[in-house]
Amino acid sequence: MVLFRAAALLFLGLLTLGSSGVRAALHIVSVDPPPGRITDLERITVTFSAPVNGVSAGDFLVNGIPAASSFGSGATYDFFFKTPPYGPVTITWGPLHTIQDLNQPPERFDASVAGASWNYALTDPRPPGLVSVLPPPGVTLKQLGQVEIQFNRPVNGIDATDLLLNGIPALQVEGLGAGPYLFRFASVGPGLASLTWAANHGIQTEGDGPRKFDGTSWSYPMAPLMPDRKIIIREMLSENLSGLKD
């Protein structure tokens, strides 16, 4: 048994030696998903160059936040965590981690070397959409000179000619990012005022991997002769601090 254990330790030691006879440093050989642009991230699989122990979920940091759990054995481990917000995601290791190989003496994983940390660009796979329109679609209006819209995420490429009122482009647009954007139009007569998006509009999400806005149309019944709403005061009450009471 003693001879067998000694032979096993010698075999493990030889596996980690390079051609020069110097032990190769413990390092990461692969991660899944690989670094780069992704649309979903709640698990990362890490494979080390040799079997390790001392792996803890708390040592795996996603934008500085420890993973919730980890499972694995040998050289491969899965780390699970809450999906971070869209944007840059940096993977690092806690400075007090206890990850080491099985050699005697064991070698600790150096989390400061190249390849020990990596980055993702987590992007929202959904196209941009509208979260509000003023006036609300479908309401009857006496006149219509402007429309205000708000997107669910920052966009660019908006021009006044992108939004059409009865087929006629807006005169002007103001806004930035997700909005609100204010489109101004020439006045329209009675009937139905239809808002549509130009087929060749360039509205899309900001940043790399942009997604185009697929806008829907809406309309307003126009009634220029509709009477104005009047406020009628039927009774007036006053507080008499002195003198005669009502």
Side-chain angles (χ1 to χ4, degrees), residues 163-213:
L163 188 58
L164 313 178
L165 174 57
N166 289 344
I168 301 175
L171 301 174
Q172 182 183 4
V173 64
E174 301 172 0
L176 186 67
Y181 287 88
L182 187 64
F183 288 85
R184 303 182 189 276
F185 299 91
S187 60
V188 294
L192 193 65
S194 298
L195 277 297
T196 57
W197 296 97
N200 61 344
H201 76 75
I203 304 173
Q204 60 186 16
T205 56
E206 294 183 349
D208 297 332
R211 289 171 172 79
K212 187 176 180 180
F213 169 61

Side-chain angles (χ1 to χ4, degrees), residues 41-56:
L41 187 65
E42 58 184 6
R43 174 201 59 82
I44 295 176
T45 301
V46 177
T47 300
F48 294 93
S49 58
V52 296
N53 58 26
V55 177
S56 171

Side-chain angles (χ1 to χ4, degrees), residues 138-160:
V139 301
T140 300
L141 302 175
K142 187 174 182 178
Q143 59 183 4
L144 179 64
Q146 62 185 38
V147 174
E148 181 181 286
I149 63 172
Q150 177 86 34
F151 291 91
N152 61 348
R153 51 195 296 199
V155 296
N156 56 28
I158 294 185
D159 296 313

Side-chain angles (χ1 to χ4, degrees), residues 5-227:
R5 177 176 176 79
L9 292 175
L10 177 61
F11 177 72
L12 287 174
L14 290 175
L15 286 179
T16 59
L17 289 178
S19 59
S20 63
V22 179
R23 180 189 298 180
L26 178 64
H27 62 280
I28 294 174
V29 295
S30 69
V31 295
D32 182 39
R37 184 174 306 281
I38 54 176
T39 58
D40 181 61
L41 187 65
E42 58 184 6
R43 174 201 59 82
I44 295 176
T45 301
V46 177
T47 300
F48 294 93
S49 58
V52 296
N53 58 26
V55 177
S56 171
D59 294 330
F60 189 82
L61 307 181
V62 181
N63 281 347
I65 301 175
S69 60
S70 64
F71 300 94
S73 61
T76 302
Y77 288 82
D78 292 321
F79 297 90
F80 298 87
F81 44 86
K82 180 180 179 181
T83 301
Y86 293 114
V89 179
T90 300
I91 307 300
T92 55
W93 302 89
L96 302 179
H97 78 78
T98 57
I99 302 173
Q100 58 185 16
D101 62 21
L102 306 183
N103 289 316
Q104 295 297 328
E107 179 182 10
R108 184 173 182 265
F109 169 60
D110 187 352
S112 65
V113 300
S117 61
W118 60 97
N119 300 282
Y120 298 102
L122 184 59
T123 60
D124 190 342
R126 302 170 300 170
L130 297 181
V131 294
S132 70
V133 177
L134 294 175
V139 301
T140 300
L141 302 175
K142 187 174 182 178
Q143 59 183 4
L144 179 64
Q146 62 185 38
V147 174
E148 181 181 286
I149 63 172
Q150 177 86 34
F151 291 91
N152 61 348
R153 51 195 296 199
V155 296
N156 56 28
I158 294 185
D159 296 313
T161 56
D162 291 334
L163 188 58
L164 313 178
L165 174 57
N166 289 344
I168 301 175
L171 301 174
Q172 182 183 4
V173 64
E174 301 172 0
L176 186 67
Y181 287 88
L182 187 64
F183 288 85
R184 303 182 189 276
F185 299 91
S187 60
V188 294
L192 193 65
S194 298
L195 277 297
T196 57
W197 296 97
N200 61 344
H201 76 75
I203 304 173
Q204 60 186 16
T205 56
E206 294 183 349
D208 297 332
R211 289 171 172 79
K212 187 176 180 180
F213 169 61
D214 296 323
T216 57
S217 60
W218 69 98
S219 60
Y220 305 100
M222 300 300 299
L225 301 181
M226 180 176 60

Side-chain angles (χ1 to χ4, degrees), residues 220-241:
Y220 305 100
M222 300 300 299
L225 301 181
M226 180 176 60
D228 294 329
R229 294 182 179 181
K230 296 182 179 180
I231 300 177
I232 301 176
I233 302 176
R234 298 185 179 277
E235 184 178 359
M236 180 177 294
L237 299 177
S238 63
E239 184 178 1
N240 195 348
L241 299 180

